[in-house]
Amino acid sequence: MADQIQEVEYYYVTVPDKPGEGVRMLNALHQAGVNLLGFSAFPHGARRSQVDFLPEDSSAFVKAAKKAGLKLSKKKRGFLLQGDNRPGVLAEVLGKLAKSGINVTAVQAACAGSGRYGGLLWVKQPDLRKASRALGISKSTNVTPPDIVDEASKESFPASDAPSWNL
């Protein structure tokens, strides 16, 4: 499968940095049937954390988040990266941005198993259109990515062993 880079919507909240805060938010979203394409959390000041949510359906997410008492940021945009894992794949992506003079605010990437990788990438919002062009994205969309597990493939693991991708 070819690499896919898509522009996605995201929101963030800042919450107390204490045990159980993440599970409280994720359980509320799960109970509302909200699926996330990505999730990231990190320290943000004294005893606070910033939590980024990349929802599959922004309107359902906003509704569920408000019901859970989360004070959301305004809608922002970032990038979801997916593709076949290989040496240098992230350097290729970052190289396109560097060549266009775009500074990356943050990036996270990981091997997803079965020869696949996934990642999240953020640039400053004023650089978003330029970054989309540099990455070869012709239209901003919030399209659901294809399923990573292809049950018909000989390389995929049995469906009964498939992890839950619903974060």
Side-chain angles (χ1 to χ4, degrees):
M1 175 180 213
D3 291 337
Q4 289 187 329
I5 302 175
Q6 66 183 29
E7 195 175 309
V8 292
E9 295 174 352
Y10 79 93
Y11 300 82
Y12 70 85
V13 297
T14 55
V15 295
D17 185 7
K18 63 181 187 178
E21 196 63 24
V23 74
R24 177 187 72 80
M25 293 182 290
L26 291 172
N27 277 339
L29 296 173
H30 171 72
Q31 289 172 1
V34 171
N35 189 44
L36 299 174
L37 300 174
F39 175 84
S40 175
F42 51 90
H44 183 73
R47 295 184 291 280
R48 306 273 311 158
S49 292
Q50 178 174 317
V51 181
D52 297 343
F53 300 92
L54 287 80
E56 183 175 68
D57 177 339
S58 287
S59 60
F61 168 77
V62 169
K63 183 178 176 182
K66 287 183 179 181
K67 185 176 177 184
L70 300 179
K71 186 176 177 181
L72 297 175
S73 69
K74 66 179 183 175
K75 178 174 53 178
K76 296 187 170 276
R77 300 188 74 78
F79 298 97
L80 176 66
L81 315 171
Q82 296 176 307
D84 295 327
N85 193 21
R86 63 191 180 281
V89 66
L90 193 55
E92 290 173 21
V93 173
L94 297 179
K96 291 176 184 178
L97 296 172
K99 185 176 180 180
S100 294
I102 300 166
N103 190 41
V104 174
T105 302
V107 64
Q108 298 175 351
C111 178
S114 298
R116 304 278 299 151
Y117 81 95
L120 306 172
L121 186 141
W122 294 264
V123 299
K124 292 192 182 312
Q125 295 301 290
D127 290 335
L128 200 62
R129 285 188 184 169
K130 187 176 178 183
S132 288
R133 284 191 304 271
L135 296 171
I137 300 170
S138 59
K139 181 179 174 187
S140 297
T141 60
N142 201 12
V143 177
T144 304
D147 287 339
I148 293 173
V149 178
D150 175 9
E151 293 178 5
S153 170
K154 292 179 182 179
E155 296 177 8
S156 69
F157 43 87
S160 61
D161 296 338
S164 171
W165 298 111
N166 295 328
L167 299 173

